[in-house]
Amino acid sequence: MFPAGREESRTKQEERERPDLRVATWLPGTLGRVRSLAVNLTAGGNFFSVYATPKLRHNLRLHIVLGPNVGLCRIPTAVSRSATEESLMAAASNPIAAPTGTREYSLPLVITASSVGTMIEWYDFYIFGSLAAVLSQKFYPPGNATFAYIAYLATFAVGFLVRPFGALFFGRIGDLIGRKYAFLVTLSIMGLSTAVIGLMPTYATAGWFSPISLILIRVLQGLALGGEYGGAAVYVGEHSPDSRRGFYTSFIQITATLGLFVSLLVILATQSSLSKEDFNAWGWRIPFLLSIILVAISFYIRLKLRESPIFTQIKSSGKASIQPLKDAFTKWPNLKQVLISLFGATAGQGVIWYTGQFYALFYLQTILKVNPRTANIIIAIALLLGMPFFTVFGALSDRIGRKRLMMAACLIAVFTYIPIYHAMQRAAGNNVVTVQSTRNKVTGAIALTPMTNDATGALVPAKEAPNPAQGMLVLLVFIQVIYVCMIYGPIAAYLVEAFPARIRYTSLSLPYHIGNGVFGGLLPLIGLSVCAATGNIYAGLYYPIGVAALTFVVGSLLLRETHNTKIWDEVTPAVSAAD
């Protein structure tokens, strides 16, 4: 079973030089078709991490990490090849086995625990935006609906603007202390902040205390979300085999859309259970208060998880960064990668995500005058149909690469957004052709009114769309969601692979949250403000089209392909040397 000659002599020499290491073995045969394997196991009370990587075409080399020492392990000759293959294949189907005395858990549990918690944080974050039409009248001065709506969107945008600061703060904690600890803290902050919104007094009760408190709570939500996504993406990415990282991390990518979908579903269920008057009076609080239960469940599940095996290894070997912010952003090679990732990937991804989901919702409700409940149903159905495609494109990126899919999404979006939104205008059926804005003489606020033509051709205020073509609107939003899946499905894997483990949490979190929190998060506010300023109902699309075009150019020229990156090699230097 074991080869003789040069390889055996080299491994014997390694044993003499470092007695704490063991001898390499070759496993010939069909097992060599396994592309990669990562498994933790216990032996004699000690915790091991096992990494298997391909060697040539028909061989698999097995490497074991014990404590800070990375070495090579001899599989006893008394064990047959078939038995060895059976044990390794069993390990591959249950990649994570806990140390002695703790509950065993598998990679699916790692993904589930990370995804559920992240989905709940997105739910908390987006339920604020999903209820914009109702809550804008609760927390801001009455008398000007458009001013209140834009002020509410500005408060919504505050949460996006502070996300990069949360990325820096919690990214540093994640690279210093651990991924698990950081996203436990972010989950707690987000859940409590959201529940407090459900208990807050309105403007009619507390005056300006209400909107000011709302802004502060929104800041806390933004900080928490800034730390959550990076932790979940890194945690799952560092548990995943190199050859399937796009597929496994794509489940994290579903969570943002799933969080928006669940928020819409909860709102629709609450609205259906209550009269319109009761929902507007107090029923809007229910979706916020529900967050307490969801967060408690997710927190309990996450407590059962252990730290990422890669982070555990780099920390135990003394390779973890003691100054993650300095190492990530003051050293040009890594800072350059951060900037390329921002302008060549996440900025375009951010505007495509928010155009296809949030801007589409705001456009239906505010510009096309589609009934808010009907608009929520249209978006919810499109999201439900589109969500499986996150994993489709994530898995596809493992085969053809991340960059190709992300750039394709940007290019297609640039050329099709205007035609899609023209089709949405026709499908609404109330012939909105422009918007007019008037300035309040007392407050100076801008009021926005969608306009249509009457029988004489004169402009008159548009009425609520009486019979929109809902099937067509679902299809048009679904097409935009497919663009989202194309760029968002692979991007977590790309970000994990683009940065070294010792500063991975900090490095990837900042470009992600600037791209999504700033470039993407400001899109509804910018889009509606531009429409109000120009009267052109399509002018709000110029911003996402411009950003997507910038990302396509920068990404095509400078973004490197990462899907062949072996991040496990960072904790197995002996592998690289031997290979």
Side-chain angles (χ1 to χ4, degrees):
M1 177 177 177
F2 299 101
R6 183 172 58 86
E7 181 64 27
E8 186 172 356
S9 299
R10 182 178 66 185
T11 54
K12 286 182 178 180
Q13 181 180 356
E14 289 175 335
E15 278 192 300
R16 290 193 298 270
E17 294 174 352
R18 294 187 60 183
D20 56 316
L21 302 185
R22 300 297 183 261
V23 182
T25 69
W26 294 102
L27 303 179
T30 58
L31 188 58
R33 291 195 289 268
V34 179
R35 290 190 175 185
S36 62
L37 171 68
V39 57
N40 296 336
L41 53 86
T42 57
N46 294 316
F47 177 73
F48 295 79
S49 294
V50 179
Y51 308 100
T53 54
K55 180 70 177 179
L56 302 179
R57 183 175 179 182
H58 298 294
N59 297 304
L60 189 72
R61 168 168 279 182
L62 183 66
H63 306 272
I64 288 189
V65 180
L66 171 57
N69 299 317
V70 180
L72 307 171
C73 176
R74 176 185 296 279
I75 295 179
T77 55
V79 179
S80 68
R81 190 185 82 179
S82 60
T84 303
E85 291 181 1
E86 288 174 2
S87 64
L88 282 175
M89 295 306 291
S93 65
N94 184 23
I96 309 294
T100 303
T102 63
R103 182 184 296 272
E104 293 186 356
Y105 65 93
S106 63
L107 184 54
L109 180 59
V110 169
I111 295 171
T112 300
S114 301
S115 299
V116 169
T118 306
M119 183 276 292
I120 291 170
E121 291 215 34
W122 286 113
Y123 165 87
D124 290 347
F125 197 74
Y126 287 133
I127 204 164
F128 192 96
S130 301
L131 287 171
V134 175
L135 299 190
S136 60
Q137 304 299 311
K138 296 294 181 182
F139 291 101
Y140 288 93
N144 189 319
T146 300
F147 168 75
Y149 193 75
I150 292 178
Y152 186 85
L153 287 179
T155 304
F156 183 60
V158 166
F160 291 94
L161 291 175
V162 301
R163 278 167 59 176
F165 298 98
L168 292 174
F169 181 78
F170 289 106
R172 178 177 179 273
I173 291 175
D175 283 328
L176 280 174
I177 301 175
R179 288 54 162 130
K180 175 186 172 181
Y181 176 81
F183 66 33
L184 282 175
V185 175
T186 61
L187 180 65
S188 303
I189 294 174
M190 178 66 83
L192 292 175
S193 299
T194 303
V196 168
I197 294 177
L199 300 172
M200 280 183 56
T202 62
Y203 183 87
T205 303
W208 284 102
F209 172 81
S210 181
I212 292 173
S213 299
L214 190 66
I215 291 173
L216 294 176
I217 291 173
R218 191 64 182 165
V219 167
L220 288 177
Q221 287 187 318
L223 292 173
L225 190 59
E228 165 65 24
Y229 174 84
V234 170
Y235 191 77
V236 173
E238 291 184 345
H239 277 89
S240 302
D242 290 321
S243 61
R244 303 199 69 194
R245 187 167 296 108
F247 172 69
Y248 287 128
T249 56
S250 67
F251 288 95
I252 293 294
Q253 304 308 89
I254 293 176
T255 59
T257 297
L258 184 60
L260 176 57
F261 173 78
V262 172
S263 73
L264 294 175
L265 201 64
V266 170
I267 291 168
L268 289 171
T270 307
Q271 288 175 331
S272 300
S273 303
L274 301 171
S275 66
K276 183 176 181 180
E277 292 74 20
D278 285 342
F279 182 83
N280 289 336
W282 56 268
W284 60 268
R285 299 180 183 274
I286 294 175
F288 291 100
L289 296 175
L290 182 63
S291 171
I292 298 175
I293 300 173
L294 298 176
V295 167
I297 295 172
S298 178
F299 191 87
Y300 175 78
I301 295 174
R302 284 189 171 184
L303 279 176
K304 300 293 183 180
L305 300 179
R306 295 193 310 276
E307 187 51 80
S308 152
I310 289 183
F311 179 79
T312 299
Q313 178 58 26
I314 64 171
K315 189 170 184 178
S316 64
S317 61
K319 296 179 181 178
S321 174
I322 60 174
Q323 295 178 307
L325 295 177
K326 181 179 179 180
D327 292 342
F329 306 119
T330 64
K331 297 181 179 180
W332 175 243
N334 199 76
L335 177 59
K336 177 183 177 183
Q337 186 62 41
V338 169
L339 294 173
I340 292 173
S341 297
L342 171 59
F343 293 105
T346 61
Q349 174 261 304
V351 297
I352 289 174
W353 200 100
Y354 285 95
T355 300
Q357 297 174 120
F358 258 109
Y359 188 73
L361 176 62
F362 291 152
Y363 191 81
L364 288 170
Q365 293 179 343
T366 307
I367 303 297
L368 299 183
K369 299 279 286 185
V370 175
N371 177 274
R373 185 173 183 274
T374 302
N376 284 339
I377 292 174
I378 290 169
I379 298 294
I381 294 174
L383 295 181
L384 183 63
L385 294 174
M387 274 189 286
F389 288 90
F390 285 104
T391 57
V392 170
F393 286 108
L396 185 60
S397 75
D398 287 327
R399 293 180 175 271
I400 69 173
R402 329 292 187 204
K403 177 178 176 178
R404 189 175 302 178
L405 289 172
M406 296 190 293
M407 295 304 101
C410 289
L411 187 62
I412 295 171
V414 166
F415 287 104
T416 60
Y417 272 155
I418 295 294
I420 286 173
Y421 277 77
H422 273 281
M424 290 175 67
Q425 184 267 351
R426 292 191 296 270
N430 55 351
N431 194 35
V432 174
V433 294
T434 186
V435 290
Q436 285 186 355
S437 58
T438 56
R439 185 176 297 275
N440 188 293
K441 295 180 180 179
V442 178
T443 64
I446 301 297
L448 187 66
T449 305
M451 306 294 290
T452 187
N453 298 116
D454 65 9
T456 66
L459 287 174
V460 295
K463 296 180 180 180
E464 182 177 286
N467 188 27
Q470 296 185 35
M472 177 58 69
L473 288 172
V474 168
L475 174 62
L476 293 169
V477 176
F478 171 74
I479 292 171
Q480 296 175 68
V481 174
I482 291 297
Y483 301 167
V484 175
C485 296
M486 286 182 68
I487 191 168
Y488 199 54
I491 205 165
Y494 160 75
L495 290 170
V496 169
E497 293 160 350
F499 300 101
R502 60 194 301 270
I503 51 174
R504 179 172 288 138
Y505 199 147
T506 304
S507 298
L508 75 82
S509 293
L510 187 64
Y512 175 83
H513 285 292
I514 292 178
N516 286 267
V518 179
F519 285 93
L522 294 180
L523 190 153
L525 179 62
I526 292 174
L528 293 180
S529 298
V530 172
C531 287
T534 63
N536 184 347
I537 63 174
Y538 307 108
L541 294 169
Y542 299 156
Y543 169 71
I545 288 173
V547 175
L550 172 66
T551 293
F552 174 76
V553 172
V554 174
S556 297
L557 295 175
L558 301 176
L559 202 70
R560 65 182 177 89
E561 181 54 67
T562 65
H563 82 290
N564 289 319
T565 302
K566 310 297 183 185
I567 69 170
W568 288 94
D569 287 356
E570 293 185 58
V571 293
T572 55
V575 177
S576 300
D579 290 347

